[in-house]
Amino acid sequence: MISNMQAKNNRLNYEEQLVKLKEELHQADAVLIGAGAGLSISAGFTYSGKRFEKLFGDFIQKYSISDIYAGGFYPWQSLEEYWAWWSRHIFVNRYEDAPKPVYQELLSLVQDKDYFVLTTNVDHCFQKAGFDKERLFYTQGDYGLWQCFEPCCQKTYDNEQQVRQMVEQQRGMRIPTELIPRCPVCGKPMTMNLRCDDTFVEDEGGTVRRDGMRRFR
Ligand SMILES: [Zn+2]
């Protein structure tokens, strides 16, 4: 247990750090932001607890899934179930707005600077808040993009319209079979554009943005 004195010291230390950070930010010519899951959690995109129970109660009951992150690794028995989960997962974490304006506030602090963002987040919050896409490198992919499962080519595809259809038309945690997305080039099933293994597709934008980050080295 933390004593009152220690808690006070920690708070003072925290406030001192914030003041220092503000000064540094004010003086900096360029800012490199590194962001992980904690930033989206602070914006209200929590992956467990009440939010998860409210959004995925049916999946919890049927499949005993413990949180949203774990659901991404569940061994679904059919593509209809796989896409019922993923379309809801994508919809609530990518297309709905974050409950708190954390990303917008961060942008207001750096928008007049030469900034660049390196993030492992895949929920598109930086772009939704107005960060310049050319100043972002989302190393692990984006919930809003699909790629060929194979993959037969280095292309990614925006999924918003199809995701909305899947969310609206799913019944009993299954989407209609005709909504299963397929690669327009080879006809194989699509999959998420997330860096899980060596089949991850990086389109031209990813290469350009990685080059953009080099000036900070
Ligand atoms: Zn393909």
Side-chain angles (χ1 to χ4, degrees):
M1 188 191 275
I2 300 174
S3 70
N4 283 347
M5 182 68 86
Q6 197 180 349
K8 194 178 169 194
N9 283 342
N10 285 351
R11 197 168 58 242
L12 269 181
N13 199 9
Y14 182 62
E15 282 165 13
E16 282 165 12
Q17 284 180 32
L18 281 180
V19 170
K20 190 157 183 252
L21 183 62
K22 194 178 168 189
E23 282 169 15
E24 297 279 353
L25 199 54
H26 185 67
Q27 289 166 13
D29 299 321
V31 180
L32 177 62
I33 297 169
L39 194 63
S40 287
I41 291 170
S42 70
F45 274 156
T46 49
Y47 270 34
S48 57
K50 280 197 181 122
R51 178 172 181 262
F52 171 55
E53 288 161 19
K54 187 174 157 224
L55 295 170
F56 290 92
D58 48 354
F59 280 95
I60 296 169
Q61 201 168 25
K62 182 167 180 187
Y63 302 99
S64 302
I65 292 169
S66 58
D67 57 68
I68 297 181
Y69 186 71
F73 298 94
Y74 190 86
W76 306 102
Q77 296 300 302
S78 68
L79 284 173
E80 286 83 353
E81 291 163 288
Y82 173 90
W83 285 115
W85 167 272
W86 271 109
S87 59
R88 202 184 302 175
H89 182 145
I90 299 164
F91 182 72
V92 300
N93 293 302
R94 165 68 174 78
Y95 293 116
E96 294 209 316
D97 288 332
K100 297 176 200 162
V102 170
Y103 283 86
Q104 288 87 341
E105 286 169 5
L106 181 59
L107 179 60
S108 72
L109 292 172
V110 299
Q111 61 191 355
D112 298 327
K113 306 277 184 187
D114 182 11
Y115 71 82
F116 197 89
V117 178
L118 180 62
T119 183
T120 51
N121 293 351
V122 294
D123 54 18
H124 214 76
C125 282
F126 282 103
Q127 276 157 283
K128 283 199 292 184
F131 281 78
D132 181 357
K133 190 180 174 183
E134 301 302 313
R135 292 172 177 272
L136 289 176
F137 184 29
Y138 34 98
T139 63
Q140 307 302 92
D142 188 315
Y143 281 152
L145 299 173
W146 286 338
Q147 64 167 73
C148 174
F149 182 81
E150 188 77 1
C152 69
C153 54
Q154 297 295 306
K155 260 187 174 174
T156 57
Y157 301 89
D158 288 328
N159 62 25
E160 179 167 8
Q161 197 187 353
Q162 286 160 290
V163 163
R164 287 182 185 275
Q165 268 188 329
M166 288 178 182
V167 168
E168 282 162 17
Q169 295 184 32
Q170 62 180 255
R171 300 284 178 274
M173 291 160 282
R174 300 175 70 87
I175 62 155
T177 303
E178 62 270 24
L179 290 188
I180 293 172
R182 295 194 173 271
C183 172
V185 179
C186 75
K188 293 233 169 70
M190 298 281 239
T191 190
M192 303 298 299
N193 181 230
L194 300 175
R195 192 187 295 275
C196 309
D197 54 33
D198 60 6
T199 65
F200 179 65
V201 166
E202 269 185 289
D203 62 10
E204 277 177 24
T207 316
V208 169
R209 289 187 287 282
R210 186 162 35 199
D211 288 346
M213 197 180 66
R214 291 218 166 96
R215 70 182 185 275
F216 287 96
R217 284 187 187 158

